[in-house]
Amino acid sequence: MHITPEVRKAAREIKTPFLIMDMDYVRNNYFDIVSHVRNVQVFYAVKANSHPRIIETLRDLGSNFDVASRGEIEKLLALGISPERMSFGNTIKKVEDIAYAYSVGIDYYAVDSEMEVEKIAAHAPGSKVYGRIATSGGDCDWPLSRKFGTDVGHVISIMEYADQLGLDAYGVSFHVGSQNYNVNSWDDAIRDASEVFKTLRAKNINLRMLNLGGGMPVKHVREIKSVKSYGDIINRALDKYMSFVPDLELFIEPGRSMVGNSAILVSQVILRSKKGSEDWVYIDAGVFHGLTETIEGFRYEVLTEGKVDDTKISFHLAGPTCDSVDTIYHEIDLPKNIGYGDILYFINAGAYTTEYATNFNGIDAPRVLFVEDFIDAEMPIERDFME
Amino acid sequence: MHITPEVRKAAREIKTPFLIMDMDYVRNNYFDIVSHVRNVQVFYAVKANSHPRIIETLRDLGSNFDVASRGEIEKLLALGISPERMSFGNTIKKVEDIAYAYSVGIDYYAVDSEMEVEKIAAHAPGSKVYGRIATSGGDCDWPLSRKFGTDVGHVISIMEYADQLGLDAYGVSFHVGSQNYNVNSWDDAIRDASEVFKTLRAKNINLRMLNLGGGMPVKHVREIKSVKSYGDIINRALDKYMSFVPDLELFIEPGRSMVGNSAILVSQVILRSKKGSEDWVYIDAGVFHGLTETIEGFRYEVLTEGKVDDTKISFHLAGPTCDSVDTIYHEIDLPKNIGYGDILYFINAGAYTTEYATNFNGIDAPRVLFVEDFIDAEMPIERDFME
């Protein structure tokens, strides 16, 4: 997302920190995915950003939803999403939450272990289950395949077990890892998935669905390929490996790639200090207030606005809480004369920011604002500047 | 805190995860500190656990409070704490929050930089300020002296600057780091502080307060010394280094040492699986729901209840969310036959647990319960077991 005049105006006049979103990006991302991945059904990964405006926008576009908990199911039901449009994609579910999901009418459940199959057979009998394959993780910022998924042979035996317990052995899912830069990861994963389909067909268990997971990257500091490039690779891999399955149903679960580029996190410098030879800048967002992913090394593109100075020097950048873990980056180039009240824009911060926010230190999570609300509108002047 | 019959009963019958607290530990901790550190005034670090019952308990014992934000100040005012009993101990404050604190009558402010002094001089004129020294951090689990505090020479010049700007140059603070096992850290820090007092007295700036910060450890997997041992070292160091200051006021800011041992986090196994050679156990608390400190390597004592088996094997232990970061320990010994519904008790989890909790994945933060509410009371049966 670009810094538009509306964003600049909000940054000047509204109390920071806040996330400012533009739903046009979400709409474009949705169309980009359904245009380039053939016959795909989108299940938006609600955990990336569960703001009602995003859910409503995607609801109206016809999206489905990947949910992680009873809390998310309740939220979606309240927003008028029918249960047929939800998939319970968390492989770690409480039995009472499975029973709840079944009671409201959810039919899709992810599994990667025998126990999860038993839980679903007992509390959501006859439901459609799909087994999650672990991928190599390769070139991604956030691998997800140690805690989640299992090997091809294990997925096969889990799906056979599901069939024995009276469940509908429905499909296979994988996740190549969040922010995966290697387009070939999808080819590898689809080949692995086809093995599961093939082996089980020989045993007369006919899976019908392939779930591509998430993982298409969002632009931060590295260059990324287009959704079309990923779509082309996926379409080719489907032709190559999956054409033996008639009427294959295809799911995809974008989270970051649906909302990541739809927002900017706007924060304000609230202190600058010198400690020995170190220059520190402290802002009003931080690891516990929107920038959680930075503790795992995630790099945002950071732009500044305020005192004009072309010279940049290296700073330590930290959040506002009394906790040393709340240090965002130990090395970031910022304008040499940056000072109180200057603005930092964290670009493409629409995913996994407000969802991870806490109230630690008695400090509220960043608010969420929408660009469309500010066009041609008077803005409340909320900011205080240092004299 | 010990696992009492009431705790066991709650674990069996009430929906997990929850934090169960016993206010008697908090009362004992308060008396332990005021009995062993001579003439000390306690300022409880609210950020460790801001539950109203803890604040009320400490209010009634006569404690003061160390606050980190406007949010904490508002919470305490609503609980009937007068502003004279609060110290604004965060060294990173927004100017509007300083103005707010001043307007309600708070008089104590921490500083470790020139800019912070300027902000306080402008928005809380004439207030009492204390400068924070950085300590070596030494043998502690959670060092706090890179982001916070500065060297002795810098603290001296900051306090001179405060005096020039019309503030009341009031004292010195330090923090030896959270969970500091080395009693001598306090001796070193008090010696450093005495340098600041001495140098400034020679310039006719008479500081009157020494703030010992927090840092006394709570028992987890390492043996710890008694509060009396720490008190003895502190009292001796005060005699040795600070006796030239008449009527020295002494503050201490316990957070973890006030509430850490007053609670147990109770969680339930919701999945067990085998992935290749790895054994995984998943529970309903996790890094985003109470056990945040484990991502920095913090080790809790973990006890289990459920299937009886004396043989233990090594597991990977993870939380309930769709995020690989939500992995608590990659190596923990648990009963070989542990399974669904078995209980894990995280001992002495009263500090920095619920405060860091998020609603990530639509999963609520652990509830907070109190043992005293369950003695002789009927308990609601909320738990569901797997058939």
Side-chain angles (χ1 to χ4, degrees):
Chain A
M1 180 172 162
H2 297 291
I3 302 173
T4 60
E6 288 78 25
V7 173
R8 275 183 214 283
K9 193 157 188 279
R12 269 195 310 275
E13 300 184 0
I14 293 180
K15 202 169 174 234
T16 55
F18 57 83
L19 191 72
I20 185 158
M21 305 202 74
D22 185 340
M23 284 299 100
D24 282 346
Y25 285 85
V26 175
R27 281 183 274 265
N28 286 340
N29 291 334
Y30 182 82
F31 289 121
D32 221 14
I33 293 168
V34 296
S35 317
H36 294 117
V37 184
R38 208 192 297 144
N39 294 322
V40 80
Q41 295 179 62
V42 171
F43 284 73
Y44 171 58
V46 175
K47 59 185 167 286
N49 191 328
S50 65
H51 195 284
R53 287 271 275 269
I54 299 170
I55 306 298
E56 288 164 347
T57 299
L58 288 166
R59 176 196 66 197
D60 296 344
L61 290 173
S63 182
N64 305 290
F65 298 88
D66 166 50
V67 295
S69 69
R70 176 174 178 149
E72 288 187 355
I73 296 168
E74 289 172 336
K75 186 168 199 173
L76 266 58
L77 290 173
L79 293 169
I81 315 285
S82 70
E84 304 88 63
R85 293 168 73 179
M86 298 183 210
S87 166
F88 205 160
N90 191 341
T91 53
I92 312 156
K93 296 178 280 296
K94 289 192 167 186
V95 292
E96 52 267 43
D97 293 352
I98 294 170
Y100 169 77
Y102 181 71
S103 76
V104 300
I106 292 178
D107 198 23
Y108 304 120
Y109 298 85
V111 295
D112 66 0
S113 63
E114 284 77 5
M115 187 186 276
E116 199 69 12
V117 168
E118 292 164 3
K119 285 152 63 177
I120 295 168
H123 297 275
S127 295
K128 294 185 173 68
V129 295
Y130 52 96
R132 181 164 169 171
I133 303 177
T135 65
S136 68
D139 183 21
C140 66
D141 287 347
W142 213 258
L144 292 165
S145 274
R146 195 164 173 196
K147 179 174 173 185
F148 304 104
T150 189
D151 61 64
V152 166
H154 194 198
V155 171
I156 291 169
S157 79
I158 287 169
M159 295 309 288
E160 272 192 270
Y161 189 43
D163 179 69
Q164 282 162 25
L165 296 189
L167 291 166
D168 182 353
Y170 181 57
V172 172
S173 74
F174 59 78
H175 199 301
V176 294
S178 200
Q179 288 291 97
N180 192 311
Y181 300 99
N182 180 1
V183 289
N184 295 315
S185 300
W186 276 266
D187 187 278
D188 294 348
I190 293 169
R191 191 196 56 225
D192 285 352
S194 75
E195 287 300 312
V196 180
F197 277 75
K198 247 179 236 159
T199 308
L200 288 172
R201 285 179 92 79
K203 301 181 182 197
N204 214 20
I205 298 171
N206 296 306
L207 309 184
R208 293 106 74 201
M209 186 276 284
L210 178 63
N211 183 332
L212 302 166
M216 286 191 201
V218 169
K219 173 79 172 67
H220 289 286
V221 291
R222 269 175 82 164
E223 281 311 312
I224 58 162
K225 294 206 170 64
S226 66
V227 171
K228 184 174 183 308
S229 311
Y230 288 91
D232 288 348
I233 290 277
I234 290 167
N235 293 334
R236 262 201 302 273
L238 292 169
D239 289 341
K240 194 160 46 160
Y241 303 118
M242 296 297 297
S243 51
F244 67 92
V245 183
D247 303 320
L248 177 71
E249 294 178 58
L250 199 62
F251 290 5
I252 196 166
E253 293 170 348
R256 197 188 299 276
S257 56
M258 186 67 83
V259 294
N261 69 351
S262 71
I264 294 173
L265 183 70
V266 181
S267 182
Q268 184 196 158
V269 174
I270 58 173
L271 181 64
R272 176 183 174 162
S273 70
K274 184 108 190 165
K275 313 203 161 196
S277 61
E278 295 179 353
D279 287 288
W280 285 74
V281 165
Y282 303 84
I283 59 176
D284 58 4
V287 165
F288 300 109
H289 297 92
L291 298 168
T292 306
E293 294 203 303
T294 62
I295 51 169
E296 299 284 319
F298 197 89
R299 295 298 302 205
Y300 289 96
E301 181 186 4
V302 180
L303 301 175
T304 56
E305 186 165 300
K307 296 169 196 60
V308 180
D309 191 328
D310 289 340
T311 315
K312 290 192 168 187
I313 62 168
S314 181
F315 285 90
H316 299 257
L317 181 67
T321 65
C322 299
D323 193 321
S324 54
V325 171
D326 188 11
T327 301
I328 301 157
Y329 297 126
H330 276 295
E331 210 176 330
I332 181 172
D333 289 338
L334 295 172
K336 195 178 169 186
N337 64 348
I338 195 165
Y340 195 94
D342 289 351
I343 293 293
L344 268 69
Y345 297 104
F346 292 81
I347 307 300
N348 295 350
Y352 302 110
T353 44
T354 46
E355 290 296 322
Y356 282 127
T358 72
N359 289 307
F360 186 53
N361 268 218
I363 297 173
D364 290 338
R367 284 185 297 174
V368 182
L369 309 175
F370 293 85
V371 165
E372 62 207 60
D373 296 342
F374 292 126
I375 296 176
D376 302 324
E378 280 292 309
M379 255 185 233
I381 308 281
E382 295 181 345
R383 279 191 70 191
D384 236 19
F385 287 91
M386 197 174 169
E387 286 135 45
Chain B
M1 178 173 165
H2 298 292
I3 302 174
T4 60
E6 288 78 25
V7 173
R8 278 185 211 281
K9 192 157 189 280
R12 269 196 310 275
E13 301 183 0
I14 292 180
K15 201 167 175 236
T16 54
F18 58 83
L19 191 73
I20 185 159
M21 306 203 73
D22 185 341
M23 285 299 99
D24 282 346
Y25 284 83
V26 175
R27 281 183 274 267
N28 286 341
N29 291 334
Y30 182 83
F31 289 122
D32 220 14
I33 294 168
V34 296
S35 315
H36 294 116
V37 184
R38 206 192 300 144
N39 293 324
V40 81
Q41 296 180 62
V42 171
F43 285 72
Y44 170 59
V46 174
K47 59 186 168 285
N49 191 329
S50 64
H51 195 285
R53 287 271 274 269
I54 299 170
I55 305 299
E56 288 163 349
T57 300
L58 288 166
R59 175 197 65 198
D60 296 345
L61 290 172
S63 182
N64 305 290
F65 299 88
D66 167 49
V67 294
S69 69
R70 176 173 179 151
E72 288 187 356
I73 296 168
E74 288 172 336
K75 187 169 199 173
L76 267 57
L77 288 173
L79 293 168
I81 315 284
S82 69
E84 304 86 64
R85 291 167 73 179
M86 298 183 211
S87 165
F88 204 160
N90 190 342
T91 52
I92 311 156
K93 296 178 282 296
K94 287 191 169 188
V95 292
E96 51 267 44
D97 294 353
I98 294 170
Y100 169 77
Y102 181 72
S103 77
V104 300
I106 293 179
D107 197 23
Y108 305 120
Y109 299 85
V111 294
D112 66 0
S113 63
E114 284 77 5
M115 187 188 275
E116 200 69 12
V117 168
E118 291 164 5
K119 284 152 63 178
I120 296 168
H123 297 274
S127 294
K128 295 186 171 69
V129 295
Y130 52 96
R132 181 163 169 174
I133 301 176
T135 64
S136 68
D139 184 21
C140 65
D141 288 346
W142 213 258
L144 291 165
S145 275
R146 197 164 172 198
K147 181 175 172 185
F148 303 105
T150 190
D151 61 65
V152 166
H154 194 198
V155 171
I156 292 169
S157 80
I158 287 168
M159 296 308 288
E160 270 192 271
Y161 189 43
D163 179 69
Q164 282 162 25
L165 295 189
L167 291 165
D168 182 352
Y170 181 58
V172 172
S173 74
F174 57 80
H175 199 300
V176 295
S178 200
Q179 289 290 101
N180 192 313
Y181 300 99
N182 179 1
V183 289
N184 295 315
S185 299
W186 277 265
D187 187 279
D188 293 348
I190 293 169
R191 190 197 56 223
D192 285 353
S194 74
E195 286 301 313
V196 180
F197 277 76
K198 246 180 238 160
T199 308
L200 289 172
R201 285 179 93 78
K203 301 180 181 201
N204 214 20
I205 298 171
N206 295 306
L207 309 184
R208 293 105 74 199
M209 186 277 284
L210 177 64
N211 183 332
L212 303 165
M216 285 190 200
V218 169
K219 172 81 173 65
H220 290 284
V221 291
R222 270 175 81 164
E223 282 309 314
I224 58 162
K225 294 207 168 68
S226 66
V227 171
K228 183 175 184 305
S229 310
Y230 288 91
D232 288 348
I233 290 277
I234 289 167
N235 293 334
R236 262 202 301 273
L238 291 170
D239 288 343
K240 195 159 46 159
Y241 303 118
M242 296 297 297
S243 53
F244 65 92
V245 182
D247 302 320
L248 178 71
E249 295 178 57
L250 199 62
F251 290 5
I252 196 165
E253 293 171 347
R256 195 187 300 276
S257 56
M258 185 66 84
V259 294
N261 69 351
S262 72
I264 295 175
L265 183 70
V266 181
S267 182
Q268 185 198 155
V269 175
I270 58 172
L271 180 65
R272 177 185 173 158
S273 71
K274 183 108 190 164
K275 314 204 160 194
S277 60
E278 296 179 351
D279 287 289
W280 284 74
V281 164
Y282 303 83
I283 60 176
D284 58 4
V287 166
F288 300 108
H289 297 92
L291 298 168
T292 307
E293 293 203 304
T294 62
I295 50 168
E296 299 284 319
F298 197 89
R299 295 298 301 204
Y300 288 96
E301 181 184 6
V302 181
L303 301 175
T304 57
E305 186 163 301
K307 296 166 198 63
V308 179
D309 192 330
D310 287 342
T311 316
K312 290 194 171 187
I313 62 169
S314 181
F315 285 90
H316 298 258
L317 182 67
T321 65
C322 299
D323 193 320
S324 55
V325 171
D326 187 12
T327 301
I328 301 156
Y329 296 128
H330 276 294
E331 210 177 331
I332 181 170
D333 289 339
L334 296 172
K336 195 179 168 184
N337 65 349
I338 194 164
Y340 195 94
D342 290 350
I343 292 294
L344 268 71
Y345 297 104
F346 292 82
I347 307 300
N348 295 350
Y352 302 110
T353 44
T354 46
E355 291 296 322
Y356 282 128
T358 71
N359 288 306
F360 186 52
N361 269 217
I363 297 172
D364 289 338
R367 283 185 297 175
V368 182
L369 310 175
F370 292 85
V371 166
E372 63 206 60
D373 296 341
F374 292 125
I375 296 174
D376 302 324
E378 280 292 309
M379 256 186 232
I381 309 281
E382 295 181 347
R383 278 192 70 190
D384 236 17
F385 286 94
M386 198 175 169
E387 286 134 41

